[in-house]
């Protein structure tokens, strides 16, 4: 992945500050409407019914682990279902799942709200757990490779599922996939604030705005976040 150098990219027109503030205020009206609609959708999400999970297990450092134990005593659980390519080296693992999961390193705020975050990997534990260590992940990592099919329920890996614990019973309350997993991608939310945005080809940007070439989540043959990990040669 490469981007057009800023020095050769187009730029917005230059106006006086009064004009700039007026146009920025006009956009703010739309931003506030977007925020309020997001709040309304979140409220509807909180009022969804839930469905009881059957007894299922995942495999962790202590072997087979009941889903209820993944909560680590907390009331809620967010699980990311991570794709895995069996037998492939780290640089050939899923760049999208790497992008999703590498952001969530500070768990304190989730824990303060009684939420545990964990990853359920599609691959075997003995093969995928060293990858999590290589990436420096601080969140719990489990394998769902041999779990009861009811856990994924026919869904392709690369999704988020949310659960609520009531004693020893676990309920699924929500799930999302596709662009829904951008909830974890703080980099995208930050890039959306900048003049050039995500710099991806699908975006509605003016002519001459920089665009990434190659895969947007890979750089020189690896998922981008891997380049700063120990043992990886400098790019």
């Amino acid at each position: 992945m490469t981007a057009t150098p800023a020095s050769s990219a187009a730029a917005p027109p230059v106006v006086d500050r009064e004009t700039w503030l007026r146009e920025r205020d006009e956009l703010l009206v739309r931003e506030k409407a977007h925020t309020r609609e997001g709040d309304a959708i979140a409220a509807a999400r909180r009022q969804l019914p839930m469905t009881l999970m059957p007894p299922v297990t995942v495999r962790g450092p202590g072997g087979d682990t009941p889903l209820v134990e993944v909560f680590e005593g907390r009331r809620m659980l967010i699980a990311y279902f991570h794709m895995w390519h069996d037998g492939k080296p780290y640089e050939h693992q899923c760049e999208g799942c790497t992008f999703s999961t590498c952001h969530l390193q500070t768990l304190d705020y989730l824990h303060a709200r009684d939420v545990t975050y964990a990853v359920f990997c599609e691959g075997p534990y003995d093969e995928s757990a060293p990858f999590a260590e290589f990436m420096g992940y601080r969140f719990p990592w489990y394998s769902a490779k041999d779990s009861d099919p009811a856990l994924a329920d026919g869904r392709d890996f690369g999704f988020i599922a949310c659960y609520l614990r009531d004693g020893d019973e676990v309920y699924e309350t929500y799930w999302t996939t596709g662009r829904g997993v951008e909830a974890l991608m703080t980099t995208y939310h930050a890039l959306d604030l900048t003049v050039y945005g995500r710099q991806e080809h699908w975006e509605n940007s003016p002519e001459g705005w920089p665009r990434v070439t190659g895969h947007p989540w890979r750089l020189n043959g690896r998922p981008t976040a891997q380049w700063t990990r120990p043992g990886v040669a400098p790019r």
Side-chain angles (χ1 to χ4, degrees), residues 27-89:
L27 179 60
L28 182 61
V29 173
R30 297 177 62 190
E31 289 178 332
K32 292 297 185 182
H34 177 76
T35 298
R36 288 191 292 271
E37 178 62 14
D39 290 343
I41 292 171
R45 188 181 296 122
R46 292 192 295 271
Q47 297 174 55
L48 284 172
M50 59 187 183
T51 187
L52 180 65
M53 291 292 296
V56 295
T57 62
V58 291
R59 181 168 289 271
D64 288 343
T65 305
L67 180 59
V68 69
E69 293 184 12
V70 178
F71 285 72
E72 298 180 342
R74 300 184 181 90
R75 188 81 193 279
M76 291 168 285
L77 170 68
I78 300 172
Y80 183 83
F81 285 67
H82 195 295
M83 294 180 185
W84 188 260
H85 305 300
D86 289 356
K88 297 295 184 181

Side-chain angles (χ1 to χ4, degrees), residues 53-58 81 143-154 157:
M53 291 292 296
V56 295
T57 62
V58 291
F81 285 67
S143 168
K145 184 175 180 63
D146 297 317
S147 297
D148 189 308
L151 181 62
D153 195 26
F157 277 63

Side-chain angles (χ1 to χ4, degrees), residues 189-209:
H189 303 307
L191 286 172
D192 283 342
L193 303 180
T194 68
V195 65
Y196 294 134
R198 304 179 187 189
Q199 302 171 42
E200 297 180 6
H201 287 274
W202 62 270
E203 287 180 287
N204 181 12
S205 294
E207 185 71 26
W209 256 229

Side-chain angles (χ1 to χ4, degrees), residues 5-185:
S7 59
S8 61
V14 177
V15 296
D16 61 85
R17 191 164 188 85
E18 182 180 356
T19 300
W20 178 77
L21 286 172
R22 183 175 64 251
E23 295 202 16
R24 197 277 168 267
D25 287 344
E26 290 173 356
L27 179 60
L28 182 61
V29 173
R30 297 177 62 190
E31 289 178 332
K32 292 297 185 182
H34 177 76
T35 298
R36 288 191 292 271
E37 178 62 14
D39 290 343
I41 292 171
R45 188 181 296 122
R46 292 192 295 271
Q47 297 174 55
L48 284 172
M50 59 187 183
T51 187
L52 180 65
M53 291 292 296
V56 295
T57 62
V58 291
R59 181 168 289 271
D64 288 343
T65 305
L67 180 59
V68 69
E69 293 184 12
V70 178
F71 285 72
E72 298 180 342
R74 300 184 181 90
R75 188 81 193 279
M76 291 168 285
L77 170 68
I78 300 172
Y80 183 83
F81 285 67
H82 195 295
M83 294 180 185
W84 188 260
H85 305 300
D86 289 356
K88 297 295 184 181
Y90 295 165
E91 59 267 29
H92 291 161
Q93 294 303 330
C94 179
E95 59 282 325
C97 291
T98 301
F99 186 36
S100 299
T101 53
C102 73
H103 288 78
L104 200 54
Q105 296 284 41
T106 300
L107 304 173
D108 309 66
Y109 295 96
L110 290 177
H111 293 171
R113 297 294 192 274
D114 212 15
V115 178
T116 292
Y117 175 79
V119 166
F120 295 162
C121 185
E122 186 179 18
Y125 183 79
D126 290 345
E127 181 178 318
S128 64
F131 170 79
E133 184 177 356
F134 160 73
M135 291 297 298
Y137 293 154
R138 299 176 57 196
F139 42 74
W141 184 278
Y142 298 90
S143 168
K145 184 175 180 63
D146 297 317
S147 297
D148 189 308
L151 181 62
D153 195 26
R155 295 167 287 195
D156 292 332
F157 277 63
F159 70 91
I160 297 169
C162 297
Y163 304 92
L164 177 68
R165 180 178 65 85
D166 184 8
D168 291 332
E169 292 186 323
V170 175
Y171 299 85
E172 186 168 355
T173 60
Y174 178 73
W175 78 282
T176 186
T177 191
R179 292 193 61 187
V181 302
E182 289 182 9
L184 304 179
M185 300 176 182

